[in-house]
Amino acid sequence: MWLLDQWAERHILDAQKSGEFDNLPGTGEPLLLEDDSHIPEALRAGYRLLKNAGCLPPELVQRKEAVELMDLLNGIRQDDPRYQELSRRLTLLELKLRQAGLNTDFLRGEYADRLLQKMNKG
């Protein structure tokens, strides 16, 4: 064990013995861990750091933009002058996502509705 690991472990054990970890908020409750099983184990820490820093991979930025465009299109009438431009942008974005090998079913149906609700909450 490295010296730094030993030092940290010693401080953690001392804190446990002195009761510093007792009665912390969330004690006894399950941790809310995100499912990152689809990410290779060697990349998980890096992905988590980027996510916590607010950075998204380009394909997720495009997916988010596509959902936002779909929401805008659903909120305006087809005879609105902006409708054609928004529709064109969405079609182009959808094509880019498909070319990258990503599924665009999230733009249609119940899944799209649930995804939009989740995005609007956070």
Side-chain angles (χ1 to χ4, degrees):
M1 191 180 284
W2 293 92
L3 183 60
L4 184 59
D5 293 333
Q6 291 174 350
W7 177 82
E9 192 66 31
R10 182 173 47 90
H11 281 282
I12 291 171
L13 290 173
D14 289 345
Q16 284 177 328
K17 287 177 187 172
S18 68
E20 292 179 41
F21 295 136
D22 296 346
N23 301 319
L24 290 175
T27 299
E29 296 176 17
L31 294 175
L32 299 175
L33 301 175
E34 296 182 25
D35 179 21
D36 57 2
S37 60
H38 61 286
I39 300 171
E41 194 170 329
L43 299 176
R44 289 180 188 162
Y47 273 56
R48 193 169 295 120
L49 277 170
L50 289 172
K51 181 180 177 209
N52 291 341
C55 299
L56 291 176
E59 55 274 357
L60 289 182
V61 171
Q62 290 174 337
R63 287 177 65 131
K64 183 177 178 182
E65 183 181 350
V67 170
E68 289 170 354
L69 284 171
M70 181 61 85
D71 185 40
L72 287 171
L73 284 170
N74 288 335
I76 62 175
R77 296 173 31 159
Q78 288 187 3
D79 60 352
D80 188 303
R82 299 171 295 166
Y83 189 89
Q84 291 299 321
E85 175 61 21
L86 292 173
S87 181
R88 186 188 64 73
R89 284 178 46 200
L90 180 60
T91 302
L92 181 62
L93 201 49
E94 192 171 355
L95 179 62
K96 286 180 182 179
L97 288 168
R98 285 186 185 160
Q99 285 177 335
L102 299 171
N103 190 328
T104 58
D105 289 346
F106 65 92
L107 293 171
R108 313 278 181 284
E110 182 182 327
Y111 181 77
D113 294 338
R114 288 194 324 247
L115 183 62
L116 187 59
Q117 287 174 351
K118 186 172 184 172
M119 288 176 65
N120 287 336
K121 286 182 186 176

